[in-house]
Amino acid sequence: MSIRHHIGDDTLMAYVNGTLAESLSVVVATHLAICPKCRKSAELMEDMAGLLLMETETASLSAAEEAMAETIPVGVLQEDRILDRPKKTQGYSNTGVPMPLADRMPAALDDIPWRTLIPGISHYPLPRTGSSKEKGTLRLLKIAPGKTMPEHSHTGQELTLILRGSYIDDLGRFQAGDLADLDSDTLHQPVADTAEDCICLIATNAPLKFSGFFSRLLQPVFGI
């Protein structure tokens, strides 16, 4: 598998620090399971974070800081942040998807009970296990060959991991294993460009912003 599009540094650092939203973390973990380059980057970031933590712990504390430290068990805050982060696993499961995604799948990738959004485009919402107050969505999306997604931008961050097939947009061509790390500055209109369905894992932390009157009318239908 030749992966050309990877996780952005800011996103990967937030994942390593345990501050990335749960839905986005699932996509990052799924990409890490199949991308050696991003795994290496994540390991380097974790090593750097560990060194910084050691330096902080050996620095002199004021009386007030020492008193506060005594009331908080070591590592509690960090453990709280990473509690819902998917486990580090590599490779594919027998459901046909990378390991971190397997536990959230209702069936093998070929047996997903897709729900039609518009002709040629279907989705399947996936469960989240974190706080109910956390905004965002996590879902599988299937685009039939030659079909085009409505043009849209983002009011927050969107991570899209290609599981099967490919699509092309203004940012380039994305195929199996590639990850699109998009923010509010991105306006695009993906088109499935092969003879097979393009199946993606998509997470957002805020609603999409569709262009055009008709597409905006579909916003409640898409639910993203």
Side-chain angles (χ1 to χ4, degrees), residues 150-153 187-188 209-216:
E151 185 180 55
H152 63 276
S153 56
L187 176 67
H188 68 149
K209 185 178 180 181
F210 289 97
S211 304
F213 177 73
F214 178 70
S215 294
R216 288 197 298 272

Side-chain angles (χ1 to χ4, degrees), residues 35 40 54 95 103 221:
C35 181
K40 183 176 181 180
M54 290 176 61
T95 61
D103 289 343
V221 178

Side-chain angles (χ1 to χ4, degrees), residues 115-135:
R115 306 173 186 177
T116 300
L117 290 170
I118 57 177
I121 299 178
S122 305
H123 76 143
Y124 186 85
L126 295 172
R128 295 185 299 149
T129 59
S131 171
S132 59
K133 295 181 180 180
E134 187 177 277
K135 296 181 179 180

Side-chain angles (χ1 to χ4, degrees), residues 103-118:
D103 289 343
R104 298 170 189 264
M105 297 283 287
L109 196 57
D110 290 327
D111 300 318
I112 295 294
W114 297 101
R115 306 173 186 177
T116 300
L117 290 170
I118 57 177

Side-chain angles (χ1 to χ4, degrees), residues 47-101:
D47 290 343
M48 291 173 59
L51 290 174
L52 290 173
L53 181 61
M54 290 176 61
E55 291 178 0
T56 301
E57 289 177 344
T58 57
S60 298
L61 299 178
S62 67
E65 290 172 331
E66 288 180 350
M68 182 177 294
E70 291 176 356
T71 65
I72 304 176
V74 176
V76 165
L77 295 180
Q78 185 175 359
E79 288 173 3
D80 286 345
R81 288 199 305 268
I82 66 175
L83 184 62
D84 297 320
R85 197 169 74 181
K87 295 180 180 179
K88 295 180 183 178
T89 49
Q90 298 180 22
Y92 286 82
S93 72
N94 56 11
T95 61
V97 298
M99 292 296 292
L101 179 58

